[in-house]
Amino acid sequence: MADLMTGLHRTHYCGEVEGVGNEVTVGGFVQRVRDKGGLIFIDLRDRTGIVQLVFDDTTDAEVFAKAKTVKSEFVLMAKGLLRQRESVNTEIKTGSVEILVNDLRILSKAQTPPFEISDNTNVNEELRLKYRYLDLRRKTLQDNLIRRSKIAKVTRDYFYENGFIEIETPMMMKSTPEGARDYLVPSRIHTGKFYALPQSPQIYKQLLMISGFDRYIQLARCFRDEDLRADRQPEFTQIDMEMSFVEVEDILAMGEGLVKRLMKEVMGMEVETPLPRLKYNDAMAMYGSDKPDIRFGMTITDISDIVENSGFSVFSGAVAAGGSVRGIVAKNAAGTLTRKEIDKLTEFVKGIGAKGLAYIRWVDDAPSCSFSKFMVEGELERIMERLGCEKGDVALIVADKNKVTLPTLGALRLKVAKQLDIIPEGFCFLWITDFPFFEYNDETGHWDAMHHPFTMPNDECLPYLESDPEKVFAKAYDLVLNGIELCSGSIRITDSELQEKMFKALGLTNEEIEAKFGFLVNAYKYAAPPHGGMGIGLDRLSMLLCGADSLRDVTAFPKVKDASEVMSECPSTVDEAQLRELHIRTEEE
């Protein structure tokens, strides 16, 4: 049987023991046992750190015998004298002290774990996720989740101090188009009908503005049935906010205040505001991405005007077809980016939609160029001058339609920078503003809303709503950190007539508008204050501030690539009786 805690009450956490010469009581998991015969050392661990327990020839014989039975991951409580250590351990916070134990309780015994509970473990992730409750005992994961908790607390404190009201919105709602598949919940009572788990609280927070709450905040759980990657989970938390009687500048200022507060209180760093900004079109032209990592250069340069009449048909043909020819330069990279490596980069860009990759590699006295035989005198020199390509550099060039050229070079820029290890440490925030309202869908042949259909267009763009959708830009903005999108937001449409025009510009019929958004459209008929807001990804923010590689490292019980949870083996089948209640039958494919 396990010992009882009777008479023992924890006085200190393991990593926070203090008061040399005083009696202290700690509780935790056994990290390590070192039995030297007449001397036993036990490292006891909790979420604050490790403290060393000591049992020697002065220890009560019964307590010493009990200490001899202790193994890794046992749960103990220990009481004893806090004293100075003879040999200091600089690797832990409490490395200058130890506890000479006079009372030991074994509260719970542990089987041998399937892997060592250590940050240095080399066990594959699938096994660690299967035993996630053990994996979460590791210091790195505990520190990550503690930091995430602090981010949430500081966030709430900041918004409360600025007059925001925290309001919960429904977890089961009407299915509306949000850009990804909904997770659906069948209704037992309403046969054949479904609730949707919220992809975001977007419509509800707009209704709260119509209701007069003025400033809303929520750490909202959101769900999207989409393919997973390192910075995406099917369920996530959004720092969701909305404000009334505001314009874009008011919301950006509120967001920057949060960033400044978080970086100071969580990271101990000062961030200068206002944060830098780039319009969407400029970001795409310079970095090939609407979420660029601007910690390093290697910006994109347009050479279309130089090669539009070139003898190299790949270049001239792209320009003639309405596309462009653009390139990036990897400085001092000729030694690393060999012909073999450039061939690999060529396969990489082909894999993401480009037809190929042209290059200039300058190692010796004269540059080596994949298209030099098509150049007339002086043409290659003008290209290199425009690109800023010098001896020791490698220029990489893509020719195609802009929707291929820019994102291809954006992805290539990141890949090459990682390969060359030129991305510096640190945090670089950036606002992307003035997004296009519409984006053309090649599959459907229609214009879709880039953000959502409630986004307010820029005033000067209103005349182009029906005649030229490509010229319509929105009062929309994203916050980017180190090349990862943290936040998306916009000013909302509050004019019911304008909202109807936007729906029709998106090709929605009156019946579709009524079926999908009828309650919101009707709400606006009763007047609404001007409002807007944004949603910041708490998971992604935590991942970046923790220096983690994946959202799994800042999520207690994450899903894996196929959206399953390895530990609990969900999703799982349910019995036929439950399905019958929901009027559902499953069929084998």
Side-chain angles (χ1 to χ4, degrees), residues 276-343:
R277 300 183 189 184
L278 270 179
K279 292 185 178 182
Y280 172 88
N281 281 348
D282 294 333
M284 292 301 298
M286 293 174 65
Y287 300 101
S289 172
D290 61 358
K291 46 182 182 293
D293 190 338
I294 60 172
R295 289 177 295 172
F296 65 100
M298 210 187 299
T299 54
I300 297 169
T301 302
D302 191 344
I303 60 171
S304 303
D305 59 318
I306 298 176
V307 300
E308 61 183 339
N309 297 313
S310 168
F312 187 33
S313 61
V314 171
F315 288 174
S316 57
V319 178
S324 61
V325 183
R326 303 173 191 249
I328 56 174
V329 172
K331 305 299 290 184
N332 303 308
T336 305
L337 298 182
T338 61
R339 275 295 309 276
K340 185 177 180 181
E341 291 302 318
I342 292 173
D343 288 343

Side-chain angles (χ1 to χ4, degrees), residues 6-278:
T6 306
L8 283 189
H9 299 280
R10 182 168 64 179
T11 61
H12 295 78
Y13 282 97
C14 293
E16 298 173 352
V17 289
E18 58 183 359
V20 171
N22 294 328
E23 201 167 59
V24 298
T25 303
V26 293
F29 297 88
V30 173
Q31 180 70 25
R32 185 170 59 147
V33 179
R34 287 162 291 153
D35 189 341
K36 307 290 187 180
L39 187 62
I40 300 173
F41 298 101
I42 296 175
D43 289 342
L44 196 66
R45 178 193 76 239
D46 64 20
R47 64 182 172 89
T48 65
I50 290 174
V51 67
Q52 179 171 277
L53 309 181
V54 182
F55 306 81
D56 60 16
D57 55 7
T58 67
T59 304
D60 178 84
E62 185 178 341
V63 172
F64 194 91
K66 189 181 293 185
K68 273 191 168 294
T69 69
V70 169
K71 299 184 185 301
S72 293
E73 299 308 312
F74 278 27
V75 176
L76 310 180
M77 286 197 78
K79 179 181 177 182
L81 179 72
L82 187 67
R83 68 183 189 183
Q84 295 285 349
R85 283 178 64 160
E86 290 185 7
S87 57
V88 174
N89 180 357
T90 58
E91 299 296 316
I92 58 175
K93 286 190 298 182
T94 61
S96 63
V97 295
E98 62 188 10
I99 300 172
L100 180 62
V101 178
N102 57 45
D103 191 354
L104 177 68
R105 311 288 175 89
I106 299 175
L107 302 182
S108 185
K109 297 181 179 181
Q111 298 180 29
T112 301
F115 53 85
E116 182 184 2
I117 311 299
S118 165
D119 285 334
N120 299 320
T121 182
N122 292 319
V123 174
N124 70 71
E125 187 179 41
E126 185 173 355
L127 181 62
R128 289 191 289 107
L129 287 173
K130 182 178 179 181
Y131 296 94
R132 184 63 166 180
Y133 44 86
L134 297 179
D135 196 31
L136 285 172
R137 293 182 184 178
R138 294 193 298 124
K139 177 176 172 52
T140 296
L141 289 181
Q142 290 200 343
D143 286 349
N144 286 352
L145 292 177
I146 290 168
R147 178 168 291 181
R148 177 186 170 125
S149 175
K150 186 171 184 180
I151 292 168
K153 179 188 181 300
V154 172
T155 295
R156 280 195 165 98
D157 290 345
Y158 171 77
F159 281 114
Y160 289 170
E161 290 167 18
N162 280 281
F164 283 77
I165 301 166
E166 186 164 9
I167 303 174
E168 292 181 347
T169 52
M171 294 294 285
M172 296 193 300
M173 57 182 288
K174 183 185 179 75
S175 178
T176 59
E178 288 271 3
R181 295 183 190 90
D182 286 326
Y183 279 103
L184 299 176
V185 180
S187 170
R188 177 181 59 83
I189 298 170
H190 304 281
T191 307
K193 294 185 178 181
F194 297 81
Y195 303 99
L197 300 181
Q199 293 189 35
S200 80
Q202 183 62 50
I203 291 176
Y204 285 106
K205 67 181 180 180
Q206 289 183 240
L207 290 169
L208 287 170
M209 296 302 102
I210 295 172
S211 302
F213 281 96
D214 182 55
R215 292 190 170 195
Y216 142 91
I217 176 67
Q218 181 182 192
L219 268 62
R221 293 296 285 170
C222 305
F223 306 83
R224 293 185 181 180
D225 185 2
E226 55 190 355
D227 295 335
L228 272 63
R229 57 191 186 204
D231 64 346
R232 182 185 287 170
Q233 281 278 304
E235 51 184 312
F236 56 96
T237 302
Q238 185 168 289
I239 301 169
D240 202 45
M241 67 93 105
E242 196 83 3
M243 303 167 67
S244 290
F245 302 104
V246 292
E247 259 296 353
V248 171
E249 293 300 326
D250 302 299
I251 297 172
L252 298 193
M254 189 62 67
E256 289 181 354
L258 175 62
V259 166
K260 197 173 183 72
R261 179 81 164 265
L262 283 170
M263 294 304 289
K264 183 173 183 178
E265 294 194 17
V266 177
M267 304 300 294
M269 298 172 59
E270 293 289 345
V271 172
E272 289 188 18
T273 53
L275 301 176
R277 300 183 189 184
L278 270 179

Side-chain angles (χ1 to χ4, degrees), residues 526-588:
Y526 295 94
H531 61 271
M534 61 183 180
I536 301 173
L538 175 61
D539 311 73
R540 289 183 179 180
L541 178 61
S542 301
M543 178 183 76
L544 290 166
L545 296 192
C546 289
D549 296 323
S550 167
L551 293 182
R552 292 192 293 273
D553 296 330
V554 294
T555 304
F557 300 101
K559 304 293 190 293
V560 294
K561 192 173 182 180
D562 64 357
S564 66
E565 186 196 297
V566 179
M567 182 190 70
S568 66
E569 298 182 335
C570 79
S572 61
T573 57
V574 296
D575 61 49
E576 287 296 325
Q578 286 179 283
L579 291 177
R580 281 195 299 273
E581 283 187 329
L582 297 169
H583 310 284
I584 289 175
R585 182 175 63 245
T586 59
E587 294 181 356
E588 294 289 337

